[in-house]
Amino acid sequence: MNRLSMMEQVHLAGEDEEDLYSGYNDYNATLDVDDLANDTGFQHAVRTSHGRRPPPTAKLPITGSVGPRLGTMAKGRTGMMPPSSMGRPVTGAQDSTARPMTAVRGAGYSSVTRGAAFDPMNQGQSQGPAPPLESKSEDSPEEKVKLLEKKVNELIEESCFANSRGELQLALDKAKEAGRKERILVRQREQESAVDQVNLDLTYSVLFNLANQYVANEMYSEAINTYTVIVKNKMFSNAGRLKVNMGNIFFKQRNYPKAIKYYRMALDQVPNTHKEMRTKIMQNIGIVFVKMGQYTDAITSFEHIMSDSPDFQTGFNLVLCYFALGDKEKMKKSFTKLLAADLQLGDEDKYMLHTDDKQYNLVIEVIKNDSLRQMEREKKTQAERCIKTAAKIIAPAVEATFAAGYDWCVEQVRMSSYVDLAHDLEIDKAIMYLKQKDFQQAIETLKSFEKKDTKVASTAATNLSFLYFLENEVSQADKYAEMAMSADRYNPAALVNKGNCLFANKDYEKAREFYKEALQNDSSCVEGLFNLGLCNKMLGRLEDALDCFFKLHAILRNNAQVIYHLADIHDQMGDTAQATEWFMQLVGIVPNDPAVLARLGEICDSEGDKSQAFQYHYDSFKYFPSNIEIIEWLGAYYIDSQFCEKAISYFERAAIIQPNQVKWQLMVASCHRRSGNYQQALETYKSIHRKFPDNVECLKFLVRLCTDLGLKEAQDYATKLKKAEKAKELKEQRATSGSRRGSGRARREGRDGSAGSDSGSRGGSGSAGSRKSSALGQRSSGGSARRRPVLEDDDGDLFGGKQDVDATYSDPLGPQVERPKTAARRREQQEDEFADEELGDDLLPE
């Protein structure tokens, strides 16, 4: 029944009614694609451009509209659509009837659409490209805020980079500018009523960086104020930790009570979970107590750290505190605690190469010297330095003698994980013996290492070699140098010791080779480089020596010995300007060295600058008034400058230094005579005659002075002079009888008695020749001969003879004092003035 009722409700289309779905099953040959290969029209369209032409527009009869309308197809409209470009009818147009509507019309299909493109979303209605994106205006408040924040961050980064480069002032300026920009940013947010959007992290970064830059520029008060602003702002989380930085500033200012106060405040605000941070703060507190001398309080902090997380630096500080208190037992306990500290380093075997695994070996080659490995080495070196230094400090204190104390420390080290340090401590023990001048004990201690492992034996043999070299036992030094080299051929110290032994034996070529080998093994071996320069200098290789000392000067800036050799080599090479420059630098480093000042005086003298030469010689004399060469130069300078009175004091000093040299006393008498003080000169000559009765020159001057002054003693001195001359001739004949040629005059000038003259009638000029020869002999290595003024003593100048004076010379001691006029001089002038005049009759008496 149900089926019958349903069928009754179905409406069947009649014959005269339009069937909506009619025509779908009808076959149209035009739409057949199987036979397109045989379709000539289609193939022609494909081969030519006919198929690419745009479809022609269908034109309809003109209606009431203004212009022709595009051809469209509406439902139920009659009329034919124009054929396609290939002559085929348009789909959907059959027998000039419109295609019936289907269920897909709502998706954009239309049975009457003709020539329209598929555009279900109506995107093709707007012609041309898509419009550009709308750019946000830079004048908007949000953009201004973002730009300011970006600028502030850039300034903070620039400030940090400048600080890392060492440009502290620039870093501070950038930090201040960042602070100004950040304040402008905050005011701008307040004006926009966006206070809740203030970037607190940015404000914290600006203030923290500014405080750090103040500290770097040592502006501590400003830094304290900036840190205070951060700490008092409750909106900054964990800002209380910055009180550690404030404590550091007070520590630098030596305000230790305030430093402890802020360290303790920071310690209270750091939670217990941050164990390492709390340990660092307690270390600072302990160090401040040490600075204040409160060792008991410092020990409390250090003991707490050693019980929780022991480390070497804290253990070393604990040992020092107990040493300051003098507690022997606590010193021992703290030293054992120091040895028990763990470095927390990995196993050294992991850096060993494996012969079978090439890939593993490549990895080891990469990591065995990377930054992590270097950090491990630094930690290990610091730990060893703390242990060795602590042992050196407490060894003399924990036992009755320092040797027993060292033995106890060595035993403790051997029982710890630092067994290798025991040998180093024993070598330090030998060095302590050396410091106490106990050479025998030092030698015995070092000799005990001869049969130890290679490294320790090489170190001990090196020290023994140097020790014997200092004692001038070159053979023993050479023996132990050979032992050190056989134990470790790449030990630069052993090679240098071997070179030193050869240098002492004047075998400079072989010594030079050992110094070169030492430098090949260790390019930073300054001892080898210095000695190599000396070898080259001794061998006359001045260019090579100069190169060595220039390298040393780059390593050891302001080293006086290196600069001296640079100056001396330049002087030997004839480069006076460079030598003077280096000597001037040396005077700036060691201004009280008389030898350097004397060398500068020699250079100025050789260049003719008498005034500057005098100044350097005088400075040298002030620092070393017993240098005979300087005394002689100054005395001769005053004589050349016609200031004989001032030269007397220098020659008298020389006579005190060398009382058995008659020439200094003869020069004193000659200066008295040149200055016109004949009575004093006579007394001086008489004193010389009493000390040296056989001196011919002294007797000659006595005879002349007594004769000129009309004294009766002239005849007695003349008799003594004849006897002295005969004795002198006999002595010279005996001395020259076996010589091949006559050299009596040369020998006569070399004797002490010839200092006053170089001939029988000259009273003091022979001293000039002796000064010149002595200058050549005592010239320091590499320089030209010392040029001294010449002291001439001519008898023709004794009474009234004219002396040549350089009128253009300006003496550094002031204007020359006018020479007093003697009575003899005035008498000669009066005779010259009136001798040729004729007296008239009117002047004669009546």
Side-chain angles (χ1 to χ4, degrees):
M1 277 306 283
N2 291 334
R3 291 182 178 178
L4 293 175
S5 61
M6 290 176 63
M7 291 298 295
E8 289 178 355
Q9 295 177 3
V10 174
H11 174 71
L12 299 176
E15 294 180 357
D16 53 351
E17 294 183 5
E18 182 180 1
D19 189 1
L20 294 177
Y21 298 99
S22 63
Y24 281 97
N25 294 325
D26 296 339
Y27 175 74
N28 191 345
T30 310
L31 302 177
D32 188 7
V33 296
D34 296 333
D35 199 25
L36 288 179
N38 299 324
D39 191 346
T40 57
F42 178 76
Q43 294 296 329
H44 177 71
V46 171
R47 289 192 298 269
T48 63
S49 62
H50 180 73
R52 293 191 292 273
R53 294 177 183 175
T57 304
K59 292 185 180 181
L60 297 178
I62 300 175
T63 58
S65 61
V66 177
R69 183 180 178 185
L70 294 176
T72 59
M73 180 62 70
K75 181 179 179 182
R77 181 175 295 176
T78 59
M80 293 294 295
M81 284 294 294
S84 67
S85 60
M86 295 179 293
R88 300 170 63 189
V90 180
T91 305
Q94 298 180 2
D95 299 332
S96 69
T97 60
R99 181 176 178 177
M101 293 178 62
T102 63
V104 296
R105 182 178 178 84
Y109 293 98
S110 176
S111 60
V112 296
T113 302
R114 300 292 183 266
F118 177 74
D119 189 12
M121 304 301 293
N122 295 323
Q123 295 178 356
Q125 293 181 0
S126 61
Q127 302 296 325
L133 298 175
E134 294 183 3
S135 60
K136 294 184 179 180
S137 175
E138 294 183 358
D139 297 334
S140 63
E142 293 181 359
E143 288 299 317
K144 287 183 178 179
V145 168
K146 288 183 179 179
L147 290 175
L148 273 175
E149 286 185 354
K150 183 178 179 181
K151 183 63 177 176
V152 170
N153 285 319
E154 290 177 353
L155 287 172
I156 293 174
E157 290 180 359
E158 291 175 4
S159 175
C160 295
F161 289 146
N163 185 288
S164 65
R165 295 192 302 267
E167 301 174 1
L168 302 181
Q169 186 59 43
L170 177 62
L172 180 60
D173 295 339
K174 293 290 184 181
K176 289 181 178 179
E177 188 177 354
R180 290 192 293 268
K181 296 284 186 183
E182 194 272 337
R183 287 192 292 272
I184 294 173
L185 176 62
V186 172
R187 285 197 298 267
Q188 189 167 348
R189 287 190 182 276
E190 291 176 352
Q191 292 174 1
E192 297 174 4
S193 301
V195 182
D196 55 338
Q197 298 179 3
V198 173
N199 192 343
L200 291 177
D201 292 337
L202 184 64
T203 304
Y204 181 87
S205 300
V206 169
L207 293 174
F208 182 67
N209 179 61
L210 181 60
N212 285 337
Q213 303 309 329
Y214 277 135
V215 173
N217 286 272
E218 298 183 357
M219 301 171 67
Y220 298 126
S221 58
E222 291 84 352
I224 290 290
N225 295 334
T226 308
Y227 280 128
T228 305
V229 171
I230 300 176
V231 171
K232 289 185 177 181
N233 194 335
K234 302 301 182 182
M235 301 180 69
F236 295 140
S237 60
N238 300 323
R241 298 183 183 182
L242 295 182
K243 291 181 179 178
V244 177
N245 297 19
M246 300 173 73
N248 293 339
I249 293 174
F250 287 120
F251 182 83
K252 291 180 180 179
Q253 292 179 331
R254 301 179 183 275
N255 192 349
Y256 300 127
K258 273 197 172 183
I260 292 178
K261 173 185 174 182
Y262 277 92
Y263 284 144
R264 285 177 170 170
M265 291 170 64
L267 188 64
D268 294 338
Q269 296 187 7
V270 175
N272 293 329
T273 54
H274 296 77
K275 187 176 179 181
E276 186 176 355
M277 183 71 177
R278 292 179 62 86
T279 301
K280 295 292 184 184
I281 296 175
M282 293 190 69
Q283 282 181 350
N284 291 357
I285 293 174
I287 291 172
V288 175
F289 277 128
V290 171
K291 289 286 187 180
M292 296 174 66
Q294 300 178 12
Y295 299 111
T296 306
D297 297 329
I299 287 171
T300 304
S301 299
F302 293 145
E303 287 283 7
H304 180 75
I305 296 172
M306 292 299 290
S307 61
D308 288 347
S309 56
D311 64 278
F312 284 94
Q313 191 62 48
T314 305
F316 178 71
N317 293 336
L318 184 61
V319 171
L320 290 181
C321 290
Y322 282 124
F323 177 77
L325 294 177
D327 194 336
K328 296 182 179 181
E329 294 299 324
K330 292 294 181 67
M331 272 190 275
K332 291 182 177 181
K333 290 182 179 179
S334 59
F335 186 73
T336 55
K337 288 182 180 180
L338 176 64
L339 294 174
D342 187 13
L343 275 176
Q344 298 179 355
L345 298 178
D347 190 6
E348 291 288 334
D349 294 337
K350 68 181 179 181
Y351 295 106
M352 299 296 293
L353 296 178
H354 291 191
T355 57
D356 52 348
D357 192 349
K358 293 183 179 180
Q359 185 68 24
Y360 182 80
N361 292 342
L362 290 175
V363 174
I364 294 300
E365 287 291 336
V366 173
I367 68 172
K368 72 178 183 180
N369 200 28
D370 60 353
S371 57
L372 180 60
R373 175 64 171 162
Q374 292 176 3
M375 186 183 70
E376 291 179 352
R377 287 201 192 102
E378 289 177 1
K379 288 183 65 176
K380 187 176 180 181
T381 303
Q382 182 184 6
E384 292 177 353
R385 184 170 61 250
C386 289
I387 294 173
K388 291 169 66 175
T389 307
K392 290 179 183 178
I393 291 173
I394 68 172
V398 294
E399 299 292 343
T401 61
F402 89 94
Y406 259 106
D407 293 338
W408 180 86
C409 292
V410 169
E411 290 299 324
Q412 295 298 319
V413 171
R414 283 176 178 168
M415 291 188 294
S416 68
S417 58
Y418 304 96
V419 184
D420 297 337
L421 290 180
H423 299 309
D424 295 339
L425 287 178
E426 291 185 6
I427 292 178
D428 292 339
K429 178 183 175 182
I431 294 174
M432 287 296 295
Y433 278 125
L434 289 177
K435 291 182 178 179
Q436 294 184 355
K437 308 297 183 183
D438 193 349
F439 298 108
Q440 190 61 35
Q441 286 290 337
I443 291 172
E444 291 179 1
T445 306
L446 291 173
K447 283 183 177 180
S448 64
F449 290 96
E450 292 182 3
K451 297 182 180 180
K452 296 292 179 66
D453 59 334
T454 305
K455 182 179 178 181
V456 179
S458 178
T459 305
T462 302
N463 291 337
L464 279 171
S465 175
F466 186 68
L467 183 60
Y468 280 120
F469 186 81
L470 291 179
E471 292 182 345
N472 203 21
E473 297 183 16
V474 182
S475 59
Q476 287 290 329
D478 186 66
K479 170 188 171 183
Y480 283 100
E482 290 285 353
M483 292 175 59
M485 288 167 56
S486 61
D488 183 7
R489 182 67 185 183
Y490 298 100
N491 185 357
L495 293 169
V496 170
N497 286 345
K498 177 65 176 178
N500 290 344
C501 296
L502 294 171
F503 189 95
N505 293 326
K506 298 184 179 181
D507 193 353
Y508 303 123
E509 284 291 349
K510 288 185 179 180
R512 184 169 173 267
E513 296 301 324
F514 280 102
Y515 294 143
K516 282 186 175 181
E517 187 176 352
L519 289 172
Q520 289 175 358
N521 296 334
D522 183 9
S523 58
S524 62
C525 182
V526 293
E527 296 87 357
L529 189 58
F530 185 86
N531 295 343
L532 179 61
L534 289 181
C535 274
N536 289 326
K537 190 175 176 183
M538 297 299 293
L539 292 171
R541 300 176 178 177
L542 299 182
E543 291 292 342
D544 295 339
L546 198 63
D547 184 51
C548 292
F549 287 115
F550 269 126
K551 290 179 181 177
L552 264 178
H553 182 64
I555 299 172
L556 304 174
R557 289 286 181 180
N558 300 329
N559 185 278
Q561 296 184 19
V562 175
I563 295 177
Y564 171 78
H565 284 290
L566 285 171
D568 190 48
I569 292 171
H570 279 296
D571 192 14
Q572 292 187 39
M573 296 172 67
D575 193 350
T576 309
Q578 283 293 326
T580 304
E581 182 179 348
W582 284 109
F583 274 125
M584 291 296 293
Q585 290 187 26
L586 186 57
V587 168
I589 297 173
V590 281
N592 302 332
D593 193 323
V596 176
L597 294 169
R599 286 295 299 275
L600 271 173
E602 293 176 22
I603 294 174
C604 294
D605 189 15
S606 64
E607 292 181 346
D609 190 354
K610 296 290 184 181
S611 175
Q612 196 66 34
F614 168 78
Q615 186 62 47
Y616 284 124
H617 280 95
Y618 184 74
D619 292 340
S620 177
F621 173 76
K622 286 194 302 183
Y623 295 120
F624 185 37
S626 300
N627 191 334
I628 290 294
E629 290 187 356
I630 301 301
I631 293 173
E632 184 181 6
W633 192 95
L634 289 171
Y637 169 80
Y638 279 119
I639 290 176
D640 283 354
S641 303
Q642 307 300 323
F643 286 100
C644 299
E645 300 87 350
K646 293 182 178 180
I648 293 173
S649 61
Y650 294 101
F651 292 134
E652 286 177 346
R653 182 180 292 272
I656 294 173
I657 296 171
Q658 295 180 347
N660 296 325
Q661 292 286 339
V662 67
K663 66 176 182 179
W664 306 120
Q665 301 181 37
L666 288 174
M667 287 181 180
V668 172
S670 178
C671 289
H672 283 302
R673 183 169 51 84
R674 281 173 171 262
S675 61
N677 193 352
Y678 301 114
Q679 190 62 38
Q680 185 63 39
L682 181 61
E683 295 298 328
T684 305
Y685 281 124
K686 287 181 180 180
S687 175
I688 296 171
H689 178 63
R690 286 192 294 270
K691 293 179 181 179
F692 304 94
D694 296 333
N695 188 271
V696 177
E697 286 78 8
C698 179
L699 289 170
K700 288 180 180 179
F701 283 111
L702 281 172
V703 170
R704 295 188 60 131
L705 279 175
C706 292
T707 303
D708 293 336
L709 294 176
L711 299 177
K712 298 179 179 180
E713 300 171 351
Q715 187 62 35
D716 297 336
Y717 288 124
T719 305
K720 292 180 180 180
L721 176 60
K722 290 179 181 180
K723 292 181 180 179
E725 286 179 346
K726 288 181 180 179
K728 183 179 179 181
E729 289 178 0
L730 292 175
K731 188 175 180 179
E732 288 178 354
Q733 287 177 3
R734 287 194 299 268
T736 59
S737 60
S739 62
R740 289 176 294 180
R741 62 179 182 271
S743 57
R745 186 168 180 266
R747 293 179 181 271
R748 186 166 58 253
E749 289 178 358
R751 296 176 61 233
D752 294 341
S754 63
S757 66
D758 60 352
S759 64
S761 61
R762 299 176 68 87
S765 60
S767 60
S770 64
R771 284 196 303 274
K772 291 181 180 179
S773 61
S774 65
L776 289 171
Q778 298 183 11
R779 178 75 164 89
S780 59
S781 62
S784 58
R786 182 188 293 272
R787 298 175 56 187
R788 297 182 180 82
V790 179
L791 174 62
E792 295 183 356
D793 191 8
D794 193 352
D795 292 341
D797 297 334
L798 184 59
F799 300 105
K802 292 184 179 181
Q803 299 179 359
D804 296 333
V805 180
D806 187 2
T808 61
Y809 177 74
S810 176
D811 192 81
L813 298 179
Q816 182 178 359
V817 181
E818 185 179 0
R819 180 176 177 177
K821 297 180 180 180
T822 61
R825 179 87 177 189
R826 188 179 300 112
R827 185 166 55 250
E828 290 177 358
Q829 290 178 353
Q830 290 176 357
E831 292 175 359
D832 292 339
E833 184 177 359
F834 297 101
D836 297 335
E837 288 191 6
E838 296 180 359
L839 298 177
D841 296 337
D842 54 340
L843 295 178
L844 295 175
E846 296 179 358

